[in-house]
Amino acid sequence: MATRILLRHRTRAEPEPEPESDSDDSIDSIECEACGSGEADAELLLCDKCDAGYHTFCLRPILPRVPSGSWFCPSCSSTSSSCKKIPKKFPLVQTKIVDFFKIKRGSGFGQIESKKRKRKSVLTSKKKKKLLPFNPSEDPRRRLEQMASLATALTTTGTVFSNELTYVAGMAPKSANRAALEKGGMQVMSREDKETLIQCKMMMERGEWPPLLVVFDPVEGFTVEADRHIRDLTIITEYVGDVDYLRNRETDDGDSMMTLLSARDKSKSLVICPDKRSNIARFINGINNHTQDGKKKQNLKCVRFDVDGECRVLLVAIRDILKGEWLYYDYNGSEHEYPTHHFV
């Protein structure tokens, strides 16, 4: 029987000496269970229970750093915990949901504005790369259910709802978020797209919610699915959270950090940390689109923009998304630690 070399990359340890064997092919190379590749071995983790291998960037959610302690693969993790417990649902009570998300009082919550918005053809919008606002569900109760699903995920994970980037004492100040520092430059958001982004924010403040549900999977935990058809180029959400310097997070094992600014001077690079304050973006899965299956599943793109000199990150639909589809964005960039993409 072939003997496997146990490469404990999570601790950066040297591989154990290769055992002697009379067979030239007696040593199995360790491959990622998700993508089938044995490359990028510095990011290939071995489960402490079953020795199955996984790339940090093939896990959902991804791991931004190699864990310093013990690590268990998704199968062993769910087995050892007898599968994740079903979370307690947030009350489907309008007043509680309005308070939780700080919906503006007197905003006519539960009603969609009757004003008809002029929509350009998909072909025209696609050609000019113009972003589209999300289209809320018409049924007020259904929107309450969508919001309650997010409230359930946030309260279960101990996260405070925020729909904006936040700047906390002891972390990066707002003055550090300057798009001009981006190495190679950053895509400037057009006036039309900025107006669309503002429109989305205003709709949410009125309780006109994106048609998304946060669902709970016993193995993967919380994830997000489309609750109605979503058109290509629709703004799904802004990626928000606490802004910090990347240098402060070098040993952070957080699984949802996002590149905000990749500066020429690395000491000025910034990341978004959604573990304490965030929105639905925290629960949308990243995916490795280096695999054929990943390419088929990917339906969102992570896009960084220069908005009035400030770096912002949006998740945008890259194709029409059917009701019931789980949402996945591509995190494969020039570096595996953090997802970062331009809209091209």
Side-chain angles (χ1 to χ4, degrees):
M1 173 180 279
T3 304
R4 303 178 69 187
I5 304 175
L6 303 184
L7 303 175
R8 301 295 178 179
H9 289 296
R10 58 183 170 275
T11 60
R12 304 292 184 181
E14 292 296 324
E16 295 179 5
E18 181 175 333
E20 295 181 1
S21 174
D22 295 332
S23 174
D24 293 335
D25 58 352
S26 62
I27 303 300
D28 287 342
S29 61
I30 296 178
E31 298 177 344
C32 175
E33 298 291 332
C35 70
S37 171
E39 297 182 358
D41 62 345
E43 303 300 328
L44 190 59
L45 301 174
L46 285 185
C47 176
D48 277 303
K49 185 174 182 180
C50 71
D51 283 326
Y54 284 86
H55 287 119
T56 56
F57 49 87
C58 285
L59 293 166
R60 294 199 304 272
I62 65 170
L63 289 179
R65 289 285 185 273
V66 174
S68 56
S70 298
W71 177 81
F72 300 97
C73 70
S75 296
C76 291
S77 178
S78 60
T79 300
S80 61
S81 61
S82 299
C83 292
K84 298 176 182 176
K85 294 182 180 179
I86 298 176
K88 181 180 179 181
K89 291 186 177 181
F90 193 87
L92 192 62
V93 179
Q94 180 170 319
T95 53
K96 291 182 178 295
I97 292 173
V98 167
D99 289 340
F100 185 89
F101 291 107
K102 299 181 175 60
I103 304 299
K104 289 184 177 179
R105 298 286 183 177
S107 60
F109 177 78
Q111 298 179 358
I112 299 292
E113 281 193 340
S114 59
K115 180 181 178 182
K116 296 292 183 182
R117 302 183 182 96
K118 184 177 180 182
R119 290 185 177 274
K120 298 181 180 179
S121 69
V122 176
L123 181 61
T124 301
S125 298
K126 184 80 172 179
K127 183 177 180 181
K128 296 183 178 180
K129 298 290 186 183
K130 290 185 179 179
L131 303 180
L132 301 175
F134 59 78
N135 190 16
S137 299
E138 288 84 2
D139 182 1
R141 181 173 178 81
R142 190 56 178 172
R143 292 205 306 279
L144 279 176
E145 292 171 350
Q146 293 162 358
M147 297 168 74
S149 73
L150 174 57
T152 296
L154 291 170
T155 52
T156 301
T157 56
T159 309
V160 176
F161 174 73
S162 174
N163 212 27
E164 305 289 341
L165 294 174
T166 46
Y167 299 89
V168 182
M171 298 171 68
K174 187 172 183 178
S175 59
N177 185 359
R178 291 184 290 155
L181 299 177
E182 174 74 17
K183 61 181 179 183
M186 181 177 288
Q187 184 173 351
V188 178
M189 178 172 278
S190 68
R191 178 179 60 82
E192 293 90 344
D193 287 347
K194 181 182 174 184
E195 290 174 352
T196 300
L197 177 59
I198 293 173
Q199 178 184 342
C200 290
K201 296 279 187 176
M202 292 179 65
M203 284 195 293
M204 292 188 69
E205 290 176 359
R206 295 193 298 265
E208 297 179 29
W209 217 248
L212 305 171
L213 277 175
V214 183
V215 296
F216 182 78
D217 180 85
V219 176
E220 296 202 20
F222 291 110
T223 190
V224 180
E225 71 175 35
D227 200 34
R228 71 178 302 176
H229 178 266
I230 297 175
R231 296 172 64 190
D232 185 15
L233 292 177
T234 295
I235 295 177
I236 301 300
T237 185
E238 180 176 1
Y239 205 101
V240 300
D242 295 338
V243 178
D244 200 2
Y245 289 109
L246 173 59
R247 65 174 186 263
N248 294 342
R249 300 282 173 160
E250 291 292 342
T251 58
D252 198 318
D253 287 344
D255 59 13
S256 302
M257 283 187 290
M258 170 73 71
T259 295
L260 178 63
L261 170 64
S262 184
R264 290 180 290 271
D265 179 351
K266 290 186 178 180
S267 67
K268 297 180 180 179
S269 291
L270 301 175
V271 291
I272 302 171
C273 309
D275 54 324
K276 292 184 173 61
R277 281 163 283 273
S278 191
N279 58 13
I280 201 167
R282 176 181 177 179
F283 304 106
I284 298 177
N285 283 330
I287 195 168
N288 174 18
N289 79 343
H290 284 168
T291 67
Q292 196 61 37
D293 184 54
K295 290 178 182 178
K296 291 180 180 179
K297 286 183 177 180
Q298 184 192 350
N299 45 28
L300 305 182
K301 193 172 184 66
C302 175
V303 194
R304 293 190 297 140
F305 284 107
D306 173 347
V307 183
D308 296 332
E310 182 183 27
C311 304
R312 306 275 287 276
V313 181
L314 303 184
L315 296 182
V316 178
I318 58 170
R319 60 172 173 82
D320 284 3
I321 303 172
L322 301 178
K323 179 179 179 180
E325 274 194 70
W326 283 10
L327 303 188
Y328 295 96
Y329 66 87
D330 169 27
Y331 57 73
N332 290 318
S334 56
E335 297 178 350
H336 291 310
E337 282 93 347
Y338 302 99
T340 171
H341 293 277
H342 290 287
F343 200 47
V344 294

